Amino acid sequence: MNKYIAECIGTFWLVLGGCGSAVLAAGFPDVGIGLLGVSFAFGLTVLTMAYAIGHISGCHLNPAVSVGLWAGGRFPANELMPYIIAQVIGAILGAGALYLIASGQPSFDLSAGFASNGYGAHSPGGYSMTAALVAEVVLTMMFIFVIMGATDKRAPAGLAPIAIGLCLTLIHLISIPVTNTSVNPARSTGVALFVGDWAVAQLWLFWVAPIVGGFIGAKLYRLVAKEEQEDS
């Protein structure tokens, strides 16, 4: 049970820290952190939690990561669903805490998006559904590829959280204009449930694309690294 609690807390931190930076600090007058700051915030949530709970749960914080690690032979199938449930609960709690904070500001407007992911009219840059789908699949694929490589027993010990955190930062620098960056179905679900309407209607893409990308990324790494499967 401690693994599931750790995943819940870690995903709570990812949503509060990452989405919180976008909702509370990105556009703050004169000193807003902007796209660069939000990108680093997401990376820092993973970096800090990897050191905090990596030795407890592996610090997945993301259903696509859990699925990818399972596909790559690094994670047992019987723990997949409990991990995903814990991650989604943590994301909802993180979004709830963020809502309580953000709604304390008189001009807060939930319809502005609340850091939700979207495509078409709800993409920050107006990108199409196809563009969003490709971006989420490819970027999640590369995220899992980096995770698999950084946590390979042949990789330098202790440096994986840095590589993974910086990879997530880079992913956000690329794709915030396209989808507001998901690569994480739990993160997308947490905030979408508060926005409702279009955010929930478009949520399917931010489950399908990251999970497909995670699966491909894990299989690609095993092919390249010739890594033997450890778990079934």
Side-chain angles (χ1 to χ4, degrees):
M1 184 59 69
N2 62 332
K3 294 184 291 188
Y4 309 138
I5 294 172
E7 283 295 302
C8 183
I9 293 170
T11 314
F12 169 92
W13 182 234
L14 183 144
V15 171
L16 181 60
C19 296
S21 70
V23 172
L24 304 175
F28 196 78
D30 301 325
V31 293
I33 60 175
L35 183 151
L36 181 62
V38 172
S39 299
F40 270 105
F42 272 99
L44 287 171
T45 62
V46 171
L47 173 63
T48 52
M49 271 298 149
Y51 282 116
I53 65 169
H55 55 287
I56 301 172
S57 68
C59 191
H60 298 187
L61 316 185
N62 182 340
V65 171
S66 297
V67 169
L69 293 176
W70 163 75
R74 301 271 193 89
F75 190 65
N78 65 336
E79 292 191 7
L80 195 54
M81 191 53 63
Y83 261 59
I84 291 174
I85 291 171
Q87 291 155 3
V88 171
I89 291 172
I92 294 170
L93 292 174
L98 177 57
Y99 176 80
L100 290 175
I101 295 168
S103 60
Q105 215 276 344
S107 62
F108 172 68
D109 181 11
L110 192 61
S111 66
F114 199 49
S116 291
N117 302 113
Y119 54 84
H122 303 290
S123 158
Y127 286 83
S128 68
M129 182 182 72
T130 300
L133 186 66
V134 171
E136 291 290 328
V137 169
V138 172
L139 291 173
T140 312
M141 177 186 75
M142 294 309 302
F143 189 38
I144 303 304
F145 189 91
V146 169
I147 290 172
M148 292 281 289
T151 56
D152 193 310
K153 59 187 177 183
R154 296 167 290 181
L159 298 180
I162 298 172
I164 295 167
L166 288 176
C167 181
L168 189 60
T169 298
L170 175 59
I171 287 169
H172 279 78
L173 288 172
I174 295 168
S175 62
I176 284 177
V178 183
T179 62
N180 222 15
T181 309
S182 172
V183 301
N184 184 337
R187 167 263 189 268
S188 298
T189 300
V191 290
L193 292 180
F194 282 83
V195 175
D197 193 24
W198 64 267
V200 171
Q202 295 190 354
L203 187 57
W204 67 270
L205 186 145
F206 303 104
W207 273 88
V208 173
I211 286 176
V212 170
F215 187 89
I216 295 171
K219 294 297 185 182
L220 181 62
Y221 181 79
R222 287 189 60 201
L223 177 66
V224 171
K226 299 187 182 301
E227 183 180 63
E228 295 183 1
Q229 185 160 333
E230 297 172 1
D231 299 305
S232 59

